[in-house]
């Protein structure tokens, strides 16, 4: 009799634990996740998203805050090189993501069948700090919603088909903890570089390569900036490099394949930069000594650059 009683107690305890675990995931958040899964075609990549399991502990790509059980991180990440029907998510990027109010991190990566515009609903994610929507098939302009996301300090929208100009709201982002990184490479962006970037002293890294941007990008540089990496290659930018000053801790510069003219300032050779590429521009003059260790390919196809690793100046 006692053994039977203990058995019942054990079963009841297991049921209570099971119920407790099932309730860990906030029901509103879980409902939103099922909407996201449905809008992405119920892919096998999200097979762990089942109603009978706890989304905070059993679902791939989900992380919750321990105290509140609210979802703070959502990751949909594909490791396959080629899309496989039924495995990868497909369809328009789900606006329902905006209904996860406690989200801090949002990652959608390498999902070539996820299409459509960036939804305006993302403006509701006021706690968002880290946004990565790269290697998707997003189209249309970059919406001006990012100015409302005051805690955002990293944004990566690379390798999509986004078009139009860069919204001024991106240049006005304050960054978090005094840091801001923006990656918009390999899209179809046009127009002028934002003048609002010139006043942003919190910009630590920016990559606008592989677009059709025009104009003067010299405002991105300056000795008073904390920026450490600038990649502007394969655009149609035109400015005088002779007037540019880099911060002392600058490490990475790629401005190749543009219309940049002038000479390379000697100061750029004195800061110990790790990578430097100015090829396919209209530069002249002698390459500073501190930059002569880079390969010839980093300097070719300029108007009249000279000095190692190129032929000596006459």
């Amino acid at each position: 009799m006692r053994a039977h009683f203990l058995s019942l107690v054990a079963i009841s305890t297991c049921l209570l634990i099971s119920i407790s675990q099932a309730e860990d995931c906030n029901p509103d958040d879980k409902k939103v996740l099922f909407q996201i899964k449905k809008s992405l075609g119920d892919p096998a990549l999200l097979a762990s998203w089942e109603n009978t399991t706890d989304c905070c502990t059993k679902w791939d790509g989900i992380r919750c805050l321990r105290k509140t059980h609210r979802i703070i991180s959502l990751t949909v990440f594909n490791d396959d090189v080629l899309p496989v029907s039924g495995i990868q998510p497909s369809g328009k990027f789900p606006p329902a993501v905006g209904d996860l109010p406690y989200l801090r991190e949002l990652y959608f990566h390498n999902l070539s069948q996820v299409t459509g515009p960036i939804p305006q609903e993302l403006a509701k994610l006021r706690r968002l700090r880290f946004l990565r929507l790269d290697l998707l098939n997003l189209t249309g302009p970059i919406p001006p919603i990012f100015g409302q996301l005051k805690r955002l300090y990293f944004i990566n929208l690379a390798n999509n088909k986004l078009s139009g100009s860069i919204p001024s709201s991106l240049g006005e982002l304050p960054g978090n903890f005094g840091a801001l990184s923006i990656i918009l490479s390999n899209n179809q962006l046009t127009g002028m570089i934002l003048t609002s970037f010139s006043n942003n002293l919190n910009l630590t890294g920016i990559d606008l390569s592989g677009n059709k941007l025009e104009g003067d990008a010299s405002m991105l540089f300056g000795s008073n900036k904390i920026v450490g990496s600038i990649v502007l290659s394969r655009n149609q930018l035109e400015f005088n490099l002779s007037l540019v000053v880099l911060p002392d801790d600058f490490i990475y510069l790629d401005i190749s394949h543009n219309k940049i003219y002038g000479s390379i300032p000697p100061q750029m050779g004195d800061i110990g930069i790790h990578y430097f590429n100015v090829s396919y521009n209209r530069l002249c003059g002698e390459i500073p000594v501190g930059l002569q260790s880079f390969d010839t390919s980093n300097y070719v196809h300029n108007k009249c650059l000279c000095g190692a690793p190129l032929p000596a100046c006459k």
Side-chain angles (χ1 to χ4, degrees):
M1 184 71 177
R2 177 177 174 79
H4 180 68
F5 173 75
L6 291 175
S7 178
L8 289 175
V9 170
I11 293 172
S12 300
T13 302
C14 289
L15 287 173
L16 287 173
I17 292 174
S18 177
I19 291 171
S20 174
Q21 289 177 341
E23 292 176 351
D24 278 353
C25 182
N26 180 274
D28 292 334
D29 288 353
K30 193 169 189 177
K31 181 179 179 181
V32 171
L33 290 176
F34 277 123
Q35 292 175 0
I36 294 171
K37 182 180 180 181
K38 182 179 180 180
S39 64
L40 293 174
D42 196 15
L45 190 65
L46 303 180
S48 64
W49 293 21
E50 297 180 350
N51 193 41
T52 56
T53 57
D54 174 32
C55 74
C56 288
T57 59
K58 301 296 183 181
W59 290 19
D60 293 336
I62 303 298
R63 187 160 61 89
C64 300
L65 195 62
R66 182 176 299 179
K67 291 183 179 181
T68 63
H69 306 294
R70 300 306 298 260
I71 294 172
I72 59 172
S73 180
L74 169 60
T75 300
V76 184
F77 187 99
N78 173 48
D79 290 327
D80 295 328
V81 176
L82 298 175
V84 180
S85 180
I87 301 295
Q88 289 190 22
S90 62
K92 290 187 177 181
F93 188 91
V97 170
D99 294 323
L100 296 173
Y102 290 85
L103 208 59
R104 299 177 187 176
E105 302 171 353
L106 176 58
Y107 307 81
F108 272 58
H109 170 72
N110 196 23
L111 306 168
S112 61
Q113 298 181 73
V114 174
T115 63
I118 298 173
Q120 298 284 341
E121 286 80 358
L122 295 189
K124 296 186 288 185
L125 301 177
R126 300 304 173 91
R127 293 176 172 84
L128 197 65
R129 300 175 183 177
F130 196 108
L131 176 65
R132 181 180 180 184
L133 308 178
D134 66 317
L135 283 166
L136 309 181
N137 200 7
L138 301 178
T139 56
I142 299 174
I145 60 174
F146 296 107
Q148 303 175 46
L149 305 179
K150 303 300 183 182
R151 300 186 183 183
L152 194 63
Y153 69 91
F154 182 92
I155 177 170
N156 183 350
L157 304 177
N159 296 286
N160 282 287
K161 296 179 181 177
L162 299 170
S163 58
S165 59
I166 302 173
S168 59
S169 56
L170 273 184
E172 297 164 0
L173 280 172
N176 200 15
F177 310 113
L180 172 65
S181 293
I182 298 175
I183 303 173
L184 306 177
S185 55
N186 299 317
N187 279 287
Q188 299 170 7
L189 301 174
T190 57
M192 308 294 283
I193 293 285
L194 292 175
T195 56
S196 54
F197 281 131
S198 62
N199 300 320
N200 198 327
L201 301 181
N202 293 329
L203 190 64
T204 58
I206 185 166
D207 186 349
L208 306 177
S209 62
N211 284 288
K212 301 175 182 178
L213 298 169
E214 303 176 87
D216 185 353
S218 61
M219 84 286 290
L220 296 173
F221 305 87
S223 59
N224 62 333
K225 302 288 185 71
I226 62 173
V227 62
S229 173
I230 294 179
V231 184
L232 304 174
S233 58
R234 292 173 288 117
N235 278 289
Q236 300 172 28
L237 302 172
E238 188 172 358
F239 60 91
N240 189 347
L241 188 63
S242 309
L243 306 178
V244 166
V245 178
L246 297 179
D248 289 339
D249 55 354
F250 196 91
I251 60 172
Y252 195 105
L253 179 66
D254 188 348
I255 54 174
S256 60
H257 294 266
N258 279 287
K259 302 176 183 179
I260 299 166
Y261 56 93
S263 60
I264 303 174
Q267 179 260 351
M268 292 187 180
D270 297 333
I271 60 177
I273 193 168
H274 296 176
Y275 184 83
F276 189 80
N277 192 336
V278 296
S279 61
Y280 291 87
N281 278 291
R282 300 173 180 176
L283 298 171
C284 279
E286 186 171 8
I287 298 171
V289 174
L291 297 173
Q292 292 179 355
S293 61
F294 293 105
D295 190 78
T296 303
S297 61
N298 295 47
Y299 297 104
V300 295
H301 292 280
N302 274 285
K303 186 177 180 181
C304 47
L305 273 183
C306 59
L310 298 178
C313 298
K314 297 180 179 180

